[in-house]
Amino acid sequence: MSEELIEIVVSEARDNMERAVAHARREFSGVRTGRASPALVERLTVNYHGAEVSLQQIAGFSVPDVQMLVISPYDKRSIEAIQKAIQRADLGFNPSTDGSVVRLHFPPLTEERRRELVRLVRGMAESGRVAVRSSRRAARQDLDALKRDGDISEDDNRRGQRRLDELTHEHEEAIGTALEAKETELMKV
């Protein structure tokens, strides 16, 4: 019985940690690397007929070359709303349109801007690590409560704590690996 309780707590912590890692990776994908990528704009919210919807729900994306992103709205009447959403997001470039598609030209990144983006990504990674540690802390509190209530023994509690520490380390490493890859991508000219 006590092993099942510990497994429930550890499993819940694992799920929370995996969500934190996935969130950090999604955040990383939204950071511009000098190459056109739909990930930079697909989650922008657009006021479409009075409702806030994500851009990926109302448009398709294509990348005809390394520095150009073409947004093709499914409804041509939404072009103006898409342009406003991109300008509001302050991504560092202005959209242009020919009436049927929106084009975004990505200028090459300067060395200084690359370093700023690396600092930004490191901050995102630290936020992810904090979320992982927060999941561990909550799970530890659950284990301590189970021990206090007499549902698990002191030894079971220590075993559960060790498993949580191993999980935390694994997920922090996953964030670190994703951070290294993003830093390399950002610094590549």
Side-chain angles (χ1 to χ4, degrees):
M1 177 67 175
S2 65
E3 192 61 36
E4 292 170 0
L5 292 173
I6 292 171
E7 187 54 41
I8 289 170
V9 170
V10 170
S11 177
E12 184 178 319
R14 180 183 301 113
D15 291 345
N16 289 337
M17 289 178 187
E18 287 172 358
R19 279 196 293 276
V21 171
H23 178 75
R25 286 184 176 138
R26 271 193 314 277
E27 290 286 310
F28 292 168
S29 73
V31 176
R32 187 169 93 104
T33 60
R35 287 192 296 275
S37 170
L40 296 173
V41 295
E42 64 189 6
R43 291 191 312 250
L44 289 179
T45 56
V46 178
N47 185 346
Y48 182 65
H49 297 299
E52 294 291 322
V53 296
S54 69
L55 183 54
Q56 66 186 359
Q57 291 177 316
I58 63 170
F61 305 94
S62 63
V63 182
D65 67 55
V66 178
Q67 293 185 325
M68 180 71 66
L69 173 66
V70 177
I71 303 169
S72 304
Y74 304 131
D75 178 4
K76 303 300 182 210
R77 294 173 296 185
S78 64
I79 285 183
E80 191 175 318
I82 292 171
Q83 281 184 292
K84 285 180 183 175
I86 293 169
Q87 289 168 339
R88 251 192 343 262
D90 195 27
L91 299 172
F93 38 76
N94 284 322
S96 63
T97 184
D98 64 3
S100 61
V101 296
V102 176
R103 288 184 179 78
L104 297 175
H105 176 70
F106 289 69
L109 294 174
T110 64
E111 183 70 21
E112 180 182 336
R113 182 66 179 145
R114 288 176 192 279
R115 293 191 189 288
E116 286 175 22
L117 291 174
V118 166
R119 279 193 297 275
L120 175 71
V121 170
R122 286 180 180 162
M124 291 174 179
E126 187 55 33
S127 294
R129 288 186 194 106
V130 167
V132 167
R133 292 181 203 127
S134 177
S135 297
R136 176 183 60 186
R137 188 179 326 100
R140 281 185 167 184
Q141 290 171 349
D142 291 346
L143 288 175
D144 289 341
L146 288 171
K147 185 186 88 172
R148 239 187 344 269
D149 295 343
D151 293 330
I152 63 172
S153 68
E154 180 68 37
D155 289 342
D156 289 337
N157 186 18
R158 274 197 295 273
R159 260 192 307 279
Q161 302 272 356
R162 270 194 304 274
R163 286 178 62 193
L164 286 173
D165 289 343
E166 291 168 4
L167 271 178
T168 302
H169 183 70
E170 286 173 26
H171 289 85
E172 284 181 335
E173 277 185 5
I175 290 173
T177 302
L179 172 63
E180 286 176 25
K182 189 63 177 186
E183 283 181 355
T184 302
E185 186 180 341
L186 283 168
M187 294 310 290
K188 187 170 41 173
V189 178

